[in-house]
Amino acid sequence: MLLVGRTLLGLYFIVPGITKITGFEGMVQYMSAHGVPFVQPLLIFTIILQLACGASLVAGRRTQLMAFVLAGLTLVISLYMHDFWSMEEGLQRAHEMQNFIKNMAIMAGLLYVAGVTPARKA
């Protein structure tokens, strides 16, 4: 079960990492509209983290560290990109709140994986 969970969590980051590459300019505009600073360098950094950490999670390499890094990334992305609290009532706010809560659940799953994975001895 842990392998299936790690694989699904890893794919949750790998697939968006790939779509950020193929839709780079659109993602730059989307991030800019949300007030993200240093958009292009942060987008490149995000893509690298999503692909590398996601693949490492699937492969079971440095699982504890990768899950923790992805949990942090998920939190930062959620605070910037799904800021429902700054929107007026309506469908868009409800949509962003749902995305934020979903991301918190994914972050919880990542923290769980990080917590139950035994640390490797050096």
Side-chain angles (χ1 to χ4, degrees), residues 86-114:
S86 68
M87 299 177 173
E88 292 186 30
E89 290 292 331
L91 188 59
Q92 184 66 27
R93 181 179 180 166
H95 177 72
E96 292 304 332
M97 183 188 306
Q98 180 181 6
N99 279 328
F100 185 87
I101 292 169
K102 170 198 53 115
N103 280 2
M104 293 302 99
I106 289 164
M107 190 174 101
L110 288 162
L111 291 172
Y112 182 80
V113 168

Side-chain angles (χ1 to χ4, degrees), residues 17-93:
I18 293 168
T19 61
K20 283 177 179 70
I21 293 169
T22 60
F24 192 85
E25 286 306 316
M27 186 54 66
V28 166
Q29 292 172 6
Y30 183 67
M31 290 171 68
S32 295
H34 280 84
V36 176
F38 312 109
V39 172
Q40 288 193 352
L42 284 177
L43 179 53
I44 292 168
F45 183 64
T46 299
I47 291 167
I48 291 167
L49 282 180
Q50 286 184 315
L51 295 176
C53 294
S56 186
L57 199 63
V58 170
R61 299 281 189 200
R62 302 194 52 119
T63 303
Q64 199 174 38
L65 175 62
M66 296 304 121
F68 189 71
V69 168
L70 288 172
L73 178 65
T74 301
L75 178 61
V76 172
I77 288 172
S78 297
L79 292 172
Y80 269 101
M81 306 306 289
H82 303 297
D83 56 339
F84 66 91
W85 52 87
S86 68
M87 299 177 173
E88 292 186 30
E89 290 292 331
L91 188 59
Q92 184 66 27
R93 181 179 180 166

